[in-house]
Structure formats: C-alpha cells, structure tokens
Amino acid sequence: MRILVMNPNTTVSMTASIRATATAAAAPGTEILATEPLWGPESIEGHFEGYLSAAAVLDRLATLGTPYDALVMAGFGEPGREGAQELLDVPVLDITESAAQMAMMLGHTYGVVTTLDRAVPQIQDRLLTSGLLQRCAAVRGTGLGVLELEEDPARTAEVIIETAREVVRAGAEVICLGCGGMAGLDAEVAAALGVPVVDGVAAAVKFAEAVVGLGLTTSTVRSFAPPRPKAIGAWPLSRHLSPARAAGPLRATEFSAQTSDI
C-alpha cells in the first residue's frame, strides 16, 4: 500500500517532519510518499493563504504522475479536501477530521491546540461543517506562527503543553495537535498532561490504511462526483510555469529546486 501525504505549504523542511511522523505511524508494508505544492504560500495562517494553498494542492495532485492508494492532506482546518475527493479515485483523508474522529473514540470531549489565534475560527468552521464540533470543548492558539514551530523545538513543546493545559481545564479529555507542523510532538505532550494526545498525521495514516484495507473509497454518486469536463484556462498551472513565462517570485526554476522529491 502506498499513501501520499500532502503538506499544503511549500516549506520542504515541514514536509520532511510530516513524512517522518507518517512513516513512524505506518504499518509494515505501507510506503509513505510525501510532497508539497510547486507554488503557493510558505505557511498557511488565514483564509487567503488557505484558498491559495487549496488551489496549489489540487494543481499538484492533477500533475503528479506517481501512483498511490490513498491521500492524506496534512493541513489542519484548511479547505480543499472536497476538491481532492472529486479529482481522485482513491480515498482522501485530512488530518482535521481524522484527529477529531480518533479523539472522540478516546474520550467524551476533545480539544485542539493550534498555532495563531486567527486560525481558531477557521478550525471551528471546519469542525462544524464536518459535524464534529459538538464534542469539541475548546480550540486554543499557542501564539506561535507555523514557521516558528521549527525554530526552537524546546520552546515550541513548552508553549504547546501550556496551551493544552488550558484546553484540558476547559473540559477536554483528549488533545488534538492542530497543525501538521506539530507532527511528532504527541508523546511529549501526553507525558506532560496525562491525557491522550492525537497527532492528526498519524491518525490519518491509520485511517487511510483501514479504508484501503477494507477495499473502500469515496462515494461518487452525488457530492463527490468527478468534475464535469469543461475548459479551465491555464489548468493545471504547473504545466504552464516556465522560467520564460513566470515573473517575480513565481520562478519555475526555484520551484523545482525547493520541492521535495517523493
């Protein structure tokens, strides 16, 4: 079984940490592939960057020639999953819903620790539309930006633990790490708090293995039917990017140099 894990931002070092967490969670015989979009924001901290990322992720998926059996989308609270479900004929899981679903198997209530406070409403909206908000006791931001998570690992863990304690005091019995950049910190946070901590990347990988193992995939009879054939100008964008055509920061040579090899 091959599972593709998609980092929604273009930061290659974050793809590497997400890949490591996914690989550690995978069962023997499961191969983890990991990559990121060829263009888009270096981190996602709001709706504008989220929608840009969704387009970039779908563009990457439309041009990726490597076969895989399931897709894990490693953005917490970002849009785009439904588009991927329409585009692909393999199961698509995202870490937001996977983390919450796993957490609800472990406790009556759960809570989410994320990055900036501005991400809180975005995550709440995602949980609401997914039917998962009712048992969420709280969503709290640490005040750390996405890229700050990698700058000082010790401080990052300390701030996440402190914020998670607030979430537990708000009534959460299980903690979800609300950012793909927090991948791999679950054990340390759980040891400090004494409650289960769910890493969304790991949870999504295990759910993907289960869905593929059961021979299931996305229903296409209605909501996630394949896109209707129609002309879409310059789509997929990645096929049209070249040093001669791109300008400013959108240089294809930079993309190819920065994008990780799956």
Side-chain angles (χ1 to χ4, degrees):
M1 177 187 316
R2 305 178 91 191
I3 298 175
L4 173 65
V5 182
M6 177 65 70
N7 173 16
N9 66 47
T10 57
T11 300
V12 174
S13 59
M14 199 160 290
T15 303
S17 66
I18 289 170
R19 179 193 290 110
T21 296
T23 300
T30 296
E31 181 183 0
I32 298 296
L33 311 175
T35 191
E36 64 284 318
L38 300 181
W39 54 274
E42 63 180 350
S43 65
I44 303 165
E45 296 167 330
H47 294 287
F48 172 70
E49 293 162 353
Y51 282 105
L52 280 179
S53 167
V57 165
L58 293 174
D59 180 83
R60 179 71 163 138
L61 293 172
T63 55
L64 192 64
T66 304
Y68 50 91
D69 300 298
L71 170 68
V72 168
M73 301 181 73
F76 207 98
E78 282 96 43
R81 190 214 66 207
E82 295 89 348
Q85 287 179 291
E86 292 183 7
L87 181 67
L88 304 175
D89 61 359
V90 300
V92 177
L93 297 99
D94 81 322
I95 66 172
T96 315
E97 294 186 24
S98 295
Q101 294 279 12
M102 184 74 76
M104 290 192 299
M105 298 176 189
L106 304 174
H108 180 68
T109 55
Y110 71 94
V112 179
V113 176
T114 189
T115 52
L116 300 178
D117 181 67
R118 66 177 294 168
V120 171
Q122 195 169 349
I123 290 172
Q124 290 173 326
D125 285 351
R126 186 71 192 179
L127 294 172
L128 177 63
T129 58
S130 301
L132 301 169
L133 186 60
Q134 184 176 357
R135 287 170 60 184
C136 181
V139 182
R140 295 283 189 273
T142 58
L144 296 173
V146 173
L147 298 182
E148 288 182 85
L149 296 173
E150 296 184 332
E151 291 179 359
D152 186 341
R155 177 174 179 269
T156 294
E158 180 182 345
V159 173
I160 290 174
I161 290 168
E162 181 181 344
T163 306
R165 284 199 177 98
E166 297 176 9
V167 175
V168 171
R169 285 195 290 267
E173 298 174 3
V174 183
I175 295 295
C176 296
L177 298 179
C179 178
M182 296 178 180
L185 294 173
D186 51 317
E188 184 174 357
V189 179
L193 269 65
V195 302
V197 176
V198 179
D199 183 310
V201 173
V205 166
K206 301 312 289 185
F207 278 131
E209 289 178 331
V211 172
V212 174
L214 291 169
L216 300 172
T217 192
T218 306
S219 173
T220 60
V221 298
R222 192 180 187 190
S223 301
F224 305 118
R228 298 181 66 190
K230 64 185 67 175
I232 305 177
W235 172 263
L237 178 61
S238 296
R239 292 178 181 159
H240 299 269
L241 290 172
S242 70
R245 295 188 56 177
L250 298 179
R251 291 194 293 272
T253 51
E254 290 184 352
F255 295 145
S256 60
Q258 293 175 357
T259 303
S260 62
D261 183 5
I262 65 171

